[in-house]
Amino acid sequence: MPNLEHPAYPAATLLQLESLVPCRESQVSMLLSIFGERQQFSFPSIFIYGHTSSGKTYVMQTLLKTLQLPHVFVNCVEYFTSRLLLEEILFQLQSCSSGTVQNSHMSCDTLNDFVRLFKQAVESQELQDQTLYIVLDRAEQLREMEANILPAFLRLQELTDRNVTVVLLSEIVWELFRPNIGCFEPFTLYFPDYSIGHLQKILSQNHPPEYSADFYAAYINILLGVFYMVCRDLKELQHLAALNFSKYCEPVVRGEANERDTRKLWKNIEPHLKKAMQTVYLREISSTQWERLQHDDGEPSQLKGLSAHTHVELPYYSKFLLIAAYLASYNPVRTDKRFFLKHHGKIRKTNFMKKHEK
Amino acid sequence: GCFVFKPSPKKKRMSQKAAIDFRERNNESEDAELRFVTCQSLWNQIKSETEQIQEDLNKQLFDNLVGFLRRSHSERQQKTTEWTCQMKSREIPTAALVLGVNVTDHDLTFKSLSEVLQNNITPYIALLEAKYCAGIKNLMQKLMGQLMNCYIDVDSLEDEDYVHISQNRIRCSMTSLISWYESVTKKIDSETPSKKRTSSSRHWQSPPVVVIFKDMESFTTKVLQDFIVICSQHIRELPLVLIFGIATSPMIIHSLLPHSVSSLLCIELFQSLSCKEHLSTIIDKLLLTAQFPFKLGGKVLQVLINIFLYHDFSVQNFIKGYQLCIVEHFYSQPLSVLCCQLVDAKKRVNSLSHDQCENIRRLPSFRRYVERQVSEKQIALLTADSCLKETTQKLLEDLHVYHENYISVLRCLHVFTSSLPKYPLGKQIRELHCACLEDQVWETEEYESSLQLARMLSKSDLVTMLQQCVEIFVSSSGKEFDKTVEKLKEFLTQFQKLEAEAFQERDVSVSSQKELQKKTDLYHLQKTLLELKESRRSKKLTKFEMLRFEVVDYIDSLVRNYLVPADHKTLHEIVYFNTASVLREHLNAAPRIALHTALNNPYCYLKNQALKSDGGGISNKAPDICIVYRLHLECGRLINLADWLEAFSTVVMAAEGPNADAASSDEVDDIIHARFIRAVSELELLGFIKPSKQKTDHVARLTWGGC
C-alpha cells in the first residue's frame, strides 16, 4: 500500500489525510504529485471521472481542506446558468481567503468580465504565490451552458495568467465532453468503483461508540451479503446500515445473545434486511416509517408501499375515451371512417383481406 | 390529469345589475326584487354549508399532514449528536398527496391546505405550478418570489427594505435563499417575546419551508430532478419539506425520478377522500335535507350526477351546476317567490298580487287539484283570491310535511335496499332518491324484486335494520312518526320473544332428532322420515317467517304512503326545478353540432332576414366561410382547390345578377380569389381540412358526412 509522501507537506498532515481517504491512496498520491508544491504552477485542468459515489467529491474536498490549499468548490447543478456559476466562483473567492464577506454584489455576465474580475480578486488577496484550485462538481452540466464556458475553464490558467488549476468532476467520460471545435485537453484521472472489500473497510470504519469495531464489522459483512448484489452506492449502503443497526443489536440488548454469537444474530437480521431491500431501498416506504415500524415491532405488511396504490379511478367516459384512443392508435388512418361511423357504406374487400381469406 | 384546465372564471358577482336583469324580463308585478333577494340568501346559505362540509371532509387529511410536518421537523432538531443520525443521509421529507383525477377541484384543496399550514406550522409556503416552471430557473424565481413575499405578509410593515428588493435583483440561487432564511429566523428570535407572542408560539423558532408542487405529473423530469438534487445539498441549512400533489397514482414518483434522485427523498403517502364519497356527502347534506326549501327534480338531478360520474368527477362542478339550477329556477319561475322557509312563505302568500294568483291557477298541478274538488269549492278557488291564498297556505304546509316525511322514509328504505344482494334499487341513496322522484317506486320491477329479497333476510340482519330505522325516525323532524316508531319497536320485541321461544323449540326438535337416532326397524324409520318430510312441506310458516312478512309489508306500506313522487304533489312547481333541458344546454355543450349549425345555417345565429334560406340553396349573402363550408360538404375525401374556387365564385357572382355575366369570363376576380383563400384557411384553422400531399392542388377533408 503506497504511503503518501510529499516533501511539501508535513508528514502528520499527510498521515491524517491518509486515514480520511481509505482505498483512494493511489489517486490521492497521483493528485499530490500533479499539484506539486504550493507555489508551483500545476497542470491547467484536471478531469476526474468515475461512477456514482466512487469518492470523487469527497476525496477532492478532504484533500483541499486537510492540506489547506486555497480553493473554490462549486456544484454546477446548483448554479445552473453561466452567470450564476461565474458569480458564485467570484463570491467564494472573495470570502475564502479574506474571511470577511463583502456585501458588494458584482455582476458578471460574460467570461471576459469574469477573467477581469478574477484577476482583481486574486491580486487583492495575496494568493499569487499559491495555486488556486477551482473545483467544478457535476461538470457535465457545463455542456448545457454557452459554448465558450467549457473551453475557457480548461485553459483558465492561460487566459488569466494566474496560478490557477481547474478540476472538473463528472460521472461520464471525457470523450463525451470534447467540443467539436477542439479544446485544451485536460489531464484525465479515473476513480474506479469500490470493490466489496473496499466497501467493507470503509463502512466498518465508522462504528458506533457503544459497540466494538469487530461487532460492527460483522454486521456490515451481513449487510453487504444482502445488498451488494443490488446496490454499490456507498452513501445508500451507509444509510441502510444506520437504519437497520438497532434491529441487529436487539438480541444483544435483550441479553439473548452476546456479541460473538454471529449465527444467532445473522438469523435475526437476515429476513429483516431482505424486507428492507424490498421496501426501504426502493423507497416504497420512507425511512422514518421504517424506523417507526422497527420501534413498534410492527409488521411491514401493515404499511402499504407506494406501489400498492396503483388503482386510478376515472370517470366513465374518460376511461373509454382513453381505451379507444389507445386502440385507435394502432389503426391505420384510412380505417377510421369504417370503425367509427355508423353508416360508413359498403366495405370494399381490399387485396390485403382477400389474401387472408385464402 | 386528463382534463382541460379552464381559465379560472371570474366570479360573476350577482350585483344590482343582475337584479335589474331579473326585473326586465318579467314585469314588476312578479316580485322580481324579492325573488332575487331570496335567491341570493338561499345560495349564500348553501355556499357556506358546502364550505363547511368540505372543511370537515378534509380535516382528517390535513391533520395527518400537519402531524407529518411537525414530526419531520422536530426529529431533525433533537438528536443531531446521535450516531445513527450522523450516519444516515439526510433525506428531504416529502409528502405524496394523492388527490384523485378531478384536477379542477385541487385548487380549492391546496388553498385550504396552505391556509391550514399557515395557521399551524409555518409562514413559509410556496405553491408551484408546472406551467410556470418550465425550467429550473423559472422554478427558483417563482419559489423565491413567493417565499420572500410571504415573509412580508406575516410581519408588518417594519421591514421596508425587504419590500423594495425587486425580484430581478435577487440572485436566484439557493445561497441567497438560505441567507434570507437565516436572517428571517434570526429576526423572529430577536424580537421581543411580548410583542410577537402569538405568532412565535404558533410557529417554532425555525419553521420548515414548505414547497408544494400542485401538479407533480406535469413537471418535466429534469426540473424536478435538479431541484431535488439542489435541495438535498442544502437540507442541513434549510429545513425544506416537499409536498407533491398527485392526480393519478403515487407510482408516478418512481417513474418520473430515477432511483438516485428518489433515494434523496423520504416519501410518505397521504390520500384524500375519494371524490365519490365526497359527492355522497354533499348530496346527503344538501339535497336530502329539509333545511333548504329549494329542491331538484329527478331529471335535473340525474343530469348533474351523470355529468359527475361520466365526465369529470368534479364536486366543484356539481355544486356549480346546483347553483345554476337555483338561479335558473328563481329567474324563470315567477312563483319561486314562495320558495323560502315555510313561515316566510305563508306571509308572502298573503301579499300576493292578483297576477301571481293567476299564475298559481295556471300551474298544472294546481289545476289537477282543483278538478278533484267539489264544484262550489272549484268556483271559489278560481274566482276568489282570498280563498286561493288560504288554500295555498295549506298546500304549502302539506308540501313541507311531505318533504320531512319523505326524507326519513327514504333513508329507512335505503337501509333495507342497500344490504340486499346485487342492489336492485342501487347501492347509493342518491340512486334510490332518483328512482323515487322519477316515478312511483313501488310500481317498478326493481322494487318488487327487492321486496322479495327482503322477505328472505336473516333475523339478525332484520333486527339491526329495524334498529337503524328506529334511530332514523326518532332523529327525524317529522311529527307523524311516533306511531311508526312504536310499531317498529313492537316488531323488535317480538323478535326478541321469538328468540326465547326458539330455544324451547330447539329442545323439541332435538328430542325428535333423538327419537330418530333410537334403534328402530327399517319400517318405522321410513315412516317417521316420511312424516317429517310431509310436515315440512305442508308446514305453516314459522312464527319468524310470519313476522318477517309483516315487517316487509309494513315497510311497503310506509313507502306507498310517503314516497309519492314529488310531481304528484300539488304546487310542487314552486320548489322543484325540473327543466333538465336548460341545464343540459348550459352544462353539456355540443360544440361540433353548434359549429355545424353556425356554418350550415348562419341565420340561426346571425338572425339576418336575408340569410333565411328556403330549401337547400346556398345564399350568396352568407359569410364566405359558410359558403365554402357548404360547398365542401358536397366533396369527397380529397377536394380539388380549383373546382372549389370555381364553385365559390359562381355562388358569389350570382349576387351581381345577369348584368355581371358579361364581366365574368374565365378569369376569377382577384378579390373573390382572396376571399376564397381566406375562407379556406379559416376552415383549415377550424380543423375541417388539411393540405394533402397525395395530389397537387388538393386538400384532404378531415370530417365525414354532414355531421
Side-chain angles (χ1 to χ4, degrees):
Chain A
M1 193 169 281
N3 270 322
L4 296 179
E5 276 178 27
H6 202 277
Y9 307 103
T13 326
L14 286 176
L15 212 63
Q16 191 201 348
L17 179 65
E18 195 179 334
S19 71
L20 282 175
V21 286
C23 314
R24 281 283 173 257
E25 291 87 357
S26 66
Q27 281 83 7
V28 169
S29 74
M30 168 72 95
L31 280 172
L32 278 180
S33 43
I34 297 168
F35 287 178
E37 291 176 28
R38 280 171 190 275
Q39 74 282 5
Q40 286 169 342
F41 270 69
S42 164
F43 205 78
S45 49
I46 302 169
F47 180 80
I48 299 176
Y49 70 103
H51 205 263
T52 320
S53 81
S54 50
K56 303 176 294 290
T57 312
Y58 174 73
V59 165
M60 269 324 281
Q61 239 161 357
T62 16
L63 178 66
L64 293 171
K65 266 194 196 131
T66 329
L67 299 183
Q68 293 175 332
L69 301 171
H71 67 275
V72 169
F73 210 99
V74 185
N75 188 328
C76 297
V77 176
E78 195 181 333
Y79 300 96
F80 36 85
T81 64
S82 58
R83 188 176 152 208
L84 280 177
L85 183 68
L86 298 178
E87 281 174 1
E88 178 63 21
I89 291 172
L90 289 175
F91 179 75
Q92 283 196 24
L93 198 58
Q94 271 186 348
S95 53
C96 85
S97 57
S98 64
T100 54
V101 182
Q102 293 165 0
N103 274 330
S104 67
H105 176 83
M106 55 199 138
S107 77
C108 171
D109 282 326
T110 63
L111 251 165
N112 217 358
D113 288 342
F114 176 70
V115 170
R116 182 172 51 80
L117 290 166
F118 183 81
K119 278 189 200 167
Q120 278 175 16
V122 171
E123 246 148 60
S124 62
Q125 272 146 41
E126 302 124 28
L127 284 173
Q128 289 103 323
D129 54 339
Q130 290 184 44
T131 316
L132 175 75
Y133 295 94
I134 297 178
V135 187
L136 302 175
D137 202 356
R138 305 282 300 256
E140 59 268 17
Q141 294 288 326
L142 289 178
R143 299 179 303 169
E144 321 260 307
M145 298 177 187
E146 285 88 340
N148 65 343
I149 297 285
L150 180 61
F153 269 121
L154 289 173
R155 52 203 313 167
L156 195 65
Q157 199 175 72
E158 184 186 330
L159 289 172
T160 55
D161 197 21
R162 292 292 177 277
N163 189 357
V164 60
T165 291
V166 176
V167 184
L168 305 173
L169 306 181
S170 177
E171 283 174 18
I172 55 179
V173 292
W174 168 246
E175 280 67 31
L176 294 170
F177 275 78
R178 198 177 285 142
N180 297 334
I181 45 171
C183 64
F184 181 82
E185 288 287 317
F187 177 84
T188 52
L189 183 65
Y190 175 58
F191 274 42
D193 282 353
Y194 290 116
S195 70
I196 188 164
H198 289 160
L199 288 175
Q200 168 86 40
K201 192 177 164 195
I202 297 166
L203 285 172
S204 323
Q205 214 173 27
N206 291 315
H207 64 88
E210 306 95 62
Y211 294 95
S212 71
D214 285 346
F215 179 67
Y216 191 67
Y219 167 65
I220 291 297
N221 198 11
I222 295 171
L223 184 91
L224 281 176
V226 176
F227 280 104
Y228 186 69
M229 291 300 286
V230 292
C231 172
R232 294 170 192 202
D233 189 329
L234 188 60
K235 256 187 233 155
E236 187 68 24
L237 283 171
Q238 203 164 34
H239 182 66
L240 287 166
L243 273 186
N244 295 304
F245 186 60
S246 64
K247 179 80 180 175
Y248 182 72
C249 299
E250 237 171 44
V252 180
V253 173
R254 280 203 303 258
E256 286 168 9
N258 63 13
E259 290 197 10
R260 307 206 161 270
D261 218 342
T262 351
R263 202 182 142 64
K264 207 166 192 178
L265 291 171
W266 180 77
K267 267 204 161 167
N268 174 45
I269 193 70
E270 214 243 350
H272 187 73
L273 286 181
K274 288 223 163 116
K275 222 170 268 167
M277 186 158 76
Q278 287 156 9
T279 51
V280 186
Y281 172 63
L282 294 175
R283 294 299 186 275
E284 281 284 295
I285 63 178
S286 73
S287 38
T288 44
Q289 280 172 326
W290 179 252
E291 278 189 323
R292 234 176 293 143
L293 269 182
Q294 270 182 19
H295 198 254
D296 307 340
D297 239 1
E299 275 292 300
S301 52
Q302 298 164 352
L303 247 178
K304 280 189 192 162
L306 291 184
S307 55
H309 304 263
T310 44
H311 180 69
V312 179
E313 252 188 0
L314 280 178
Y316 190 78
Y317 286 151
S318 314
K319 206 164 17 187
F320 284 97
L321 202 63
L322 268 183
I323 295 170
Y326 174 74
L327 293 178
S329 67
Y330 284 89
N331 296 338
V333 184
R334 301 267 343 212
T335 56
D336 281 359
K337 184 175 178 183
R338 210 167 76 204
F339 291 161
F340 297 125
L341 213 58
K342 266 182 193 156
H343 309 290
H344 52 74
K346 229 174 166 184
I347 301 170
R348 267 183 291 130
K349 280 192 179 175
T350 59
N351 291 336
F352 175 73
M353 287 174 77
K354 274 177 196 159
K355 216 185 287 166
H356 276 259
E357 276 167 16
K358 274 173 200 169
Chain B
C2 49
F3 297 101
V4 177
F5 288 89
K6 292 170 197 147
S8 57
K10 288 266 176 292
K11 265 265 169 81
K12 270 177 220 144
R13 278 260 142 253
M14 296 249 297
S15 58
Q16 203 58 37
K17 187 171 168 287
I20 293 165
D21 285 346
F22 256 69
R23 215 178 299 139
E24 273 171 4
R25 262 283 287 280
N26 316 287
N27 46 23
E28 197 66 45
S29 63
E30 286 172 334
D31 307 312
E33 193 83 31
L34 192 56
R35 259 155 58 204
F36 173 70
V37 173
T38 322
C39 171
Q40 244 189 342
S41 74
L42 177 65
W43 169 241
N44 284 338
Q45 265 179 44
I46 288 174
K47 200 172 145 212
S48 62
E49 178 80 19
T50 54
E51 274 162 11
Q52 188 59 42
I53 292 168
Q54 258 147 17
E55 202 172 290
D56 293 347
L57 286 179
N58 281 332
K59 194 170 180 303
Q60 176 75 37
L61 176 72
F62 289 168
D63 283 353
N64 287 346
L65 260 176
V66 166
F68 166 74
L69 287 172
R70 282 218 169 105
R71 253 194 335 267
S72 70
H73 183 66
S74 59
E75 273 169 22
R76 236 148 245 280
Q77 286 201 325
Q78 281 165 8
K79 25 176 198 180
T80 39
T81 47
E82 257 181 53
W83 172 80
T84 41
C85 275
Q86 282 176 349
M87 295 304 287
K88 260 189 303 183
S89 42
R90 282 297 264 297
E91 293 168 315
I92 310 171
T94 307
L97 193 58
V98 181
L99 291 170
V101 292
N102 47 338
V103 185
T104 36
D105 287 6
H106 291 185
D107 266 351
L108 213 73
T109 316
F110 280 120
K111 218 169 101 192
S112 44
L113 172 64
S114 56
E115 252 165 47
V116 167
L117 294 185
Q118 213 130 38
N119 291 334
N120 293 309
I121 302 282
T122 170
Y124 313 121
I125 297 168
L127 270 164
L128 299 178
E129 258 179 282
K131 60 179 168 186
Y132 300 120
C133 302
I136 181 79
K137 193 174 165 188
N138 311 61
L139 188 144
M140 290 301 281
Q141 263 170 356
K142 269 267 166 282
L143 177 70
M144 296 178 68
Q146 286 190 27
L147 284 178
M148 299 189 176
N149 274 334
C150 86
Y151 173 74
I152 295 159
D153 282 346
V154 166
D155 262 16
S156 46
L157 297 164
E158 310 156 31
D159 317 288
E160 294 271 302
D161 50 340
Y162 267 92
V163 186
H164 290 307
I165 297 177
S166 68
Q167 224 193 79
N168 291 335
R169 279 193 50 221
I170 306 168
R171 289 174 68 225
C172 273
S173 69
M174 221 48 181
T175 16
S176 40
L177 197 61
I178 288 165
S179 59
W180 161 81
Y181 182 76
E182 273 168 4
S183 71
V184 165
T185 42
K186 215 179 281 167
K187 199 165 267 177
I188 288 181
D189 279 352
S190 62
E191 262 164 11
T192 47
S194 60
K195 190 172 136 203
K196 273 269 170 179
R197 166 111 346 141
T198 47
S199 81
S200 53
S201 63
R202 267 190 306 157
H203 311 305
W204 301 285
Q205 292 203 323
S206 50
V209 175
V210 180
V211 183
I212 303 178
F213 292 85
K214 271 182 164 179
D215 39 356
M216 199 251 187
E217 284 102 333
S218 326
F219 279 88
T220 48
T221 325
K222 188 167 182 319
V223 172
L224 271 183
Q225 282 182 29
D226 282 355
F227 182 70
I228 291 169
V229 168
I230 293 172
C231 287
S232 78
Q233 300 232 316
H234 295 284
I235 189 72
R236 274 160 214 273
E237 298 120 72
L238 190 69
L240 269 168
V241 180
L242 307 183
I243 295 180
F244 290 152
I246 295 171
T248 53
S249 98
M251 280 306 282
I252 197 81
I253 298 177
H254 288 312
S255 50
L256 272 181
L257 304 173
H259 183 255
S260 62
V261 176
S262 67
S263 67
L264 300 172
L265 302 175
C266 174
I267 307 165
E268 268 186 57
L269 189 69
F270 297 89
Q271 208 147 16
S272 76
L273 203 65
S274 104
C275 49
K276 282 183 184 170
E277 284 171 51
H278 196 159
L279 180 78
S280 306
T281 324
I282 292 275
I283 288 181
D284 206 50
K285 295 268 167 67
L286 285 190
L287 304 184
L288 299 178
T289 164
Q291 193 186 347
F292 304 112
F294 175 77
K295 309 279 175 205
L296 289 181
K299 289 223 179 68
V300 172
L301 183 57
Q302 200 65 56
V303 168
L304 285 180
I305 289 175
N306 281 351
I307 289 175
F308 177 86
L309 290 179
Y310 289 160
H311 292 282
D312 60 4
F313 267 0
S314 165
V315 179
Q316 292 312 312
N317 281 357
F318 182 84
I319 293 168
K320 284 265 154 61
Y322 186 53
Q323 185 186 8
L324 180 68
C325 293
I326 295 174
V327 173
E328 188 64 37
H329 178 67
F330 279 92
Y331 181 65
S332 58
Q333 174 62 265
L335 285 171
S336 60
V337 70
L338 298 179
C339 181
C340 53
Q341 298 301 334
L342 186 62
V343 192
D344 297 332
K346 278 184 177 173
K347 275 183 212 150
R348 286 181 192 181
V349 167
N350 281 332
S351 56
L352 280 185
S353 65
H354 177 69
D355 286 347
Q356 285 282 50
C357 290
E358 283 301 312
N359 277 333
I360 292 179
R361 287 185 188 118
R362 259 180 247 133
L363 290 179
S365 66
F366 187 74
R367 270 197 255 159
R368 258 179 275 139
Y369 169 78
V370 170
E371 277 159 22
R372 284 201 300 272
Q373 306 302 314
V374 288
S375 54
E376 298 96 70
K377 177 90 181 186
Q378 278 186 2
I379 294 164
L381 279 175
L382 291 180
T383 50
D385 279 357
S386 61
C387 174
L388 176 82
K389 282 175 184 172
E390 217 167 274
T391 322
T392 309
Q393 281 182 347
K394 201 168 67 58
L395 287 173
L396 280 176
E397 199 166 336
D398 282 353
L399 202 59
H400 185 74
V401 170
Y402 157 77
H403 280 143
E404 284 182 342
N405 298 340
Y406 175 89
I407 290 157
S408 311
V409 176
L410 186 76
R411 284 185 199 280
C412 175
L413 180 62
H414 179 243
V415 167
F416 275 85
T417 56
S418 62
S419 58
L420 296 176
K422 285 197 188 163
Y423 311 105
L425 277 172
K427 206 176 188 175
Q428 306 277 351
I429 195 164
R430 57 168 188 257
E431 293 164 85
L432 193 64
H433 180 52
C434 282
C436 292
L437 281 177
E438 199 70 38
D439 211 349
Q440 291 177 335
V441 73
W442 56 88
E443 283 178 354
T444 59
E445 268 175 47
E446 290 87 3
Y447 182 75
E448 202 53 49
S449 65
S450 54
L451 273 196
Q452 297 240 302
L453 286 170
R455 287 196 185 106
M456 288 186 269
L457 283 170
S458 74
K459 190 164 73 183
S460 58
D461 283 351
L462 261 181
V463 169
T464 48
M465 283 176 197
L466 283 178
Q467 276 162 349
Q468 278 174 330
C469 291
V470 169
E471 272 167 35
I472 289 169
F473 284 128
V474 167
S475 61
S476 84
S477 49
K479 284 147 200 121
E480 295 176 19
F481 288 125
D482 293 344
K483 268 189 192 161
T484 320
V485 171
E486 250 170 54
K487 182 82 182 163
L488 287 176
K489 278 187 177 158
E490 197 186 308
F491 281 135
L492 277 173
T493 48
Q494 276 178 335
F495 273 119
Q496 272 165 3
K497 256 189 224 158
L498 269 185
E499 215 161 302
E501 280 171 26
F503 269 118
Q504 295 164 3
E505 255 177 52
R506 197 178 300 151
D507 288 343
V508 176
S509 63
V510 165
S511 67
S512 71
Q513 290 267 320
K514 269 183 186 158
E515 260 171 44
L516 268 183
Q517 280 162 2
K518 267 187 228 162
K519 240 184 196 172
T520 47
D521 53 84
L522 197 64
Y523 171 72
H524 272 111
L525 180 69
Q526 216 167 14
K527 210 173 137 192
T528 40
L529 278 177
L530 269 177
E531 270 171 18
L532 269 177
K533 202 178 168 190
E534 194 72 4
S535 69
R536 216 171 275 163
R537 185 180 296 161
S538 66
K539 196 170 64 176
K540 282 191 198 124
L541 298 168
T542 61
K543 277 184 186 168
F544 166 64
E545 282 164 328
M546 303 258 280
L547 196 55
R548 188 161 63 181
F549 275 135
E550 245 177 81
V551 170
V552 173
D553 287 344
Y554 184 69
I555 297 291
D556 187 38
S557 72
L558 277 181
V559 167
R560 280 165 201 265
N561 258 338
Y562 293 109
L563 292 189
V564 185
D567 41 7
H568 288 223
K569 285 282 162 189
T570 315
L571 294 186
H572 70 90
E573 289 94 338
I574 291 177
V575 292
Y576 277 85
F577 177 68
N578 239 331
T579 35
S581 56
V582 175
L583 198 64
R584 218 174 280 137
E585 213 171 87
H586 280 108
L587 297 180
N588 260 359
R592 200 167 60 102
I593 293 166
L595 194 57
H596 177 73
T597 340
L599 292 173
N600 199 34
N601 181 17
Y603 173 73
C604 181
Y605 288 99
L606 297 178
K607 304 283 181 211
N608 186 343
Q609 282 305 320
L611 292 176
K612 213 167 186 178
S613 66
D614 33 328
I618 309 172
S619 159
N620 53 358
K621 302 255 179 16
D624 292 344
I625 187 171
C626 296
I627 300 171
V628 172
Y629 179 78
R630 284 289 290 268
L631 289 170
H632 114 287
L633 286 181
E634 291 158 15
C635 298
R637 212 177 68 82
L638 286 175
I639 307 171
N640 187 337
L641 274 173
D643 293 352
W644 202 4
L645 171 61
E646 199 155 313
F648 178 75
S649 80
T650 321
V651 172
V652 174
M653 295 300 263
E656 272 89 279
N659 62 335
D661 260 349
S664 73
S665 52
D666 294 345
E667 286 286 303
V668 178
D669 189 6
D670 276 352
I671 293 177
I672 290 179
H673 200 159
R675 277 165 64 186
F676 173 73
I677 287 172
R678 190 173 66 179
V680 168
S681 59
E682 276 170 356
L683 269 196
E684 192 183 337
L685 186 72
L686 288 174
F688 285 101
I689 54 168
K690 69 169 184 187
S692 162
K693 278 175 191 153
Q694 289 178 10
K695 272 182 177 175
T696 46
D697 292 341
H698 277 68
V699 289
R701 204 177 141 187
L702 296 172
T703 54
W704 324 292
C707 274

